[in-house]
Structure formats: structure tokens, C-alpha cells
Amino acid sequence: MEILVAEEAGFCFGVRRAVKIAYEALEKWEKVYSYGELIHNNQFVEKLERDGIKTARTMDEIPNGAAVIIRSHGISPQEEKELKRRFKVIDATCPYVKKSQKFASKTLRAGMELVIFGDRNHPEIMGILGYTQGSGIVISSPKEVIGLPFNPKRAVISQTTNDIEDYKIFVGNLMNTSEKLTIYQTICSSTIEKHRSAKEIASKVDLMLVIGGKHSANTKKLFTACKRLQPRTYHIETAEELDLIEWGNYERIGISAGASTPDFVINKVVEKIKEERNGRGKKEG
Ligand code: SF4
């Protein structure tokens, strides 16, 4: 059995950067809080908690005098203002998300309606909506664009973690709904590379594993992109879930992982597959 791990599996640039900023803050400040989970991965959030970086789901959970980290997804300008009024704020918003926020402000100033291809419940999108003062429209799939009323001046952005091929279809469908459509390419290069390398692997293996938090949006999108090419694609969060998979006599196993999946989780999965393989070899011998 051969195991192929995609080149870009695991932490992306923005997540690595946010984690580094959080640990640097820990050296300077006594109490450090992340406003929302720093990354969408339970195993890593537990590690952060053990190391002293706490997660606060609301501002009221944060004690006075604490340093607060804005995670890579960013937040709305209204929330940021309030956070800064009450605490010492350390901004770890990913530069790619910042770019989307700037485009959102720009379209608002230009009097254009902003259409966002993404998930309205995702923190990145909720933050960006704040930059449109709530006037942006969020649409989660290319199909839903059909039927959108005509608007002469529109702009469009995508959530940073969408598949680029889906965004092309989304934009194509949007063309008919406006006279002047401004298109921003806001999918980050880390996502583009991750999807490219995962799809390359998925198309040449017998079984594909996508590792990442069950509530991680970017992992789910990576899983969907791989499943289109390899129907035997499974989304697992930890090595323990390998026991639930029907292994068969497959020769090549492919692995990729979401932007919020730490290396130690990926390595554990690879090790467990190797162990199982050796175990089977011994039994067969
Ligand atoms: S997925 Fe892309 S935009 Fe999101 S944090 Fe990572 S690098 Fe930044």
C-alpha cells in the first residue's frame, strides 16, 4: 500500500501566522484570549487552552486587562471598535481576508451592491458583511444566483476558501444579473494550491482521506472537491475514525487536510495507516 500526502495538506499561511501571533502575545501578556476559536480544530484548541491561550465566545467572557486576539477570519468593524474600547487588541486577521474587507468597503462607497459567494454563518463572511453595513447579499451556491433580481451596479467576491472552479461558475451565472459587474478574485492562493494538490492526488488514488474538524468549512469544501474526483473520499477528524472505514484491497491511499488541521493530527493518521498495514502483512504472512 502506498500513501500519498498532498503537498499543501494542513495549516495555511494565515493560520500559521495567527498561531505565531498568539504565542508571541503569551510572552508579553499575562492573560491572552482568542475572540472565537483561533482555529477550527478541537485538538489544537485544546492544546492552546493547555498552553494558556483561552477561547472566548463573547466579549463578556473576557476579563479586564486581558489581551484579545482577532483570529484569521477577521471581525466586523463595529465589533472591532467595541473590542478596542474594552481591551488590548492584537489583530491576527489574515491579509487575504483584510483584502476582501477592503473590497467590501470600496463597493459600499461606490454605491454598488456586493454579492458574496460564501456561507452566511461563517465568521469571515459575518465580518465582511459588517464592512457593507449589512447591505451585502450572501449566496452559498452557483445555482442560487439564478433568479436574483437585476441590479445595474454589482460587485462580487468569494469566501477565501471556496473552490476556484465553483467561483467561476458562480460569476458566470451572475453575469446576466447586472450591467456593470466588478469581479474580485478573493480566493487565497493557499486555498488554490491546497485544492490543486489535493485534486491531483484524489484523481490517482483508490481511496482519499481529507482530515480536519467536522465544523471546519474549508475542510468540508476540500472534501467536496476531492469527492467529485474520487467517490471513495472520507472526511475524518482524527486517526480513531480510521476504524470506521471499509478498507478493501486498495493499493494507493491519498491524504489531504484542511487549513486548520495541525501536523500532529495528520502524522497520527499516517502512522496509524502504516501500523494497520504492517499488522495485516504479519497476519497474512
Ligand atoms: S485559508 Fe487563506 S484566507 Fe483563510 S486564513 Fe488561510 S491563508 Fe488566510
Side-chain angles (χ1 to χ4, degrees):
M1 190 192 283
E2 191 184 356
I3 301 171
L4 304 176
V5 182
E7 280 164 32
E8 298 294 322
F11 276 8
C12 63
F13 150 77
V15 166
R16 270 186 218 289
R17 180 175 170 273
V19 169
K20 186 168 174 274
I21 290 173
Y23 277 96
E24 281 167 3
L26 205 54
E27 285 171 19
K28 267 179 82 182
W29 301 88
E30 203 187 321
K31 286 180 265 179
V32 176
Y33 277 72
S34 167
Y35 185 48
E37 284 181 349
L38 193 67
I39 65 169
H40 286 161
N41 183 277
N42 292 335
Q43 293 72 33
F44 202 80
V45 169
E46 281 163 20
K47 175 181 158 40
L48 291 168
E49 290 269 340
R50 282 196 302 274
D51 292 345
I53 300 160
K54 308 280 177 217
T55 301
R57 276 160 191 85
T58 66
M59 286 188 207
D60 293 338
E61 289 174 27
I62 306 169
N64 288 338
V68 184
I69 294 158
I70 299 176
R71 57 191 171 167
S72 57
H73 299 313
I75 55 174
S76 71
Q78 299 81 4
E79 264 185 309
E80 188 173 335
K81 197 172 165 201
E82 180 60 8
L83 211 57
K84 282 184 172 159
R85 195 182 66 77
R86 294 172 60 177
F87 309 101
K88 158 81 195 149
V89 174
I90 301 160
D91 191 359
T93 306
C94 178
Y96 288 106
V97 177
K98 283 254 182 223
K99 210 169 72 176
S100 294
Q101 294 172 344
K102 274 191 197 132
F103 290 150
S105 298
K106 204 168 148 185
T107 54
L108 181 72
R109 283 198 305 274
M112 299 172 100
E113 183 183 67
L114 183 68
V115 177
I116 306 166
F117 173 34
D119 172 2
R120 68 164 51 251
N121 297 317
H122 192 278
E124 176 188 321
I125 302 304
M126 293 196 284
I128 290 169
L129 270 178
Y131 282 83
T132 71
Q133 291 176 2
S135 67
I137 299 175
V138 185
I139 300 179
S140 63
S141 79
K143 268 193 245 156
E144 286 171 45
V145 173
I146 301 158
L148 196 69
F150 187 84
N151 186 312
K153 272 167 79 183
R154 273 202 173 111
V156 58
I157 63 170
S158 167
Q159 192 166 338
T160 52
T161 50
N162 276 327
D163 189 86
I164 190 96
E165 299 306 322
D166 290 341
Y167 189 38
K168 285 182 195 165
I169 300 169
F170 188 93
V171 169
N173 290 352
L174 204 60
M175 293 278 184
N176 291 332
T177 72
S178 189
E179 205 171 273
K180 183 173 184 252
L181 179 67
T182 305
I183 304 160
Y184 294 109
Q185 200 308 79
T186 52
I187 297 175
C188 71
S189 54
S190 176
T191 296
I192 292 173
E193 265 313 294
K194 188 183 290 293
H195 280 226
R196 187 204 53 75
S197 61
K199 287 195 264 188
E200 193 185 311
I201 300 260
S203 62
K204 55 187 181 197
V205 294
D206 307 307
L207 186 145
M208 183 78 190
L209 298 172
V210 177
I211 313 166
K214 288 283 156 67
H215 59 311
S216 155
N218 78 78
T219 306
K220 284 188 217 160
K221 282 171 196 158
L222 189 64
F223 165 74
T224 307
C226 291
K227 189 138 177 114
R228 280 186 200 137
L229 295 163
Q230 171 49 266
R232 280 188 298 268
T233 296
Y234 297 88
H235 175 183
I236 59 167
E237 185 163 334
T238 62
E240 282 67 46
E241 289 171 47
L242 288 173
D243 298 337
L244 305 171
I245 292 172
E246 279 289 328
W247 284 96
N249 286 322
Y250 302 130
E251 288 297 319
R252 293 178 121 190
I253 308 296
I255 291 181
S256 188
S260 41
T261 310
D263 284 350
F264 68 80
V265 174
I266 302 171
N267 293 341
K268 226 169 154 187
V269 170
V270 174
E271 273 163 33
K272 188 160 183 213
I273 297 173
K274 283 183 182 164
E275 270 170 31
E276 304 263 314
R277 196 197 86 149
N278 289 342
R280 225 182 15 243
K282 273 178 210 150
K283 269 182 232 159
E284 283 163 6

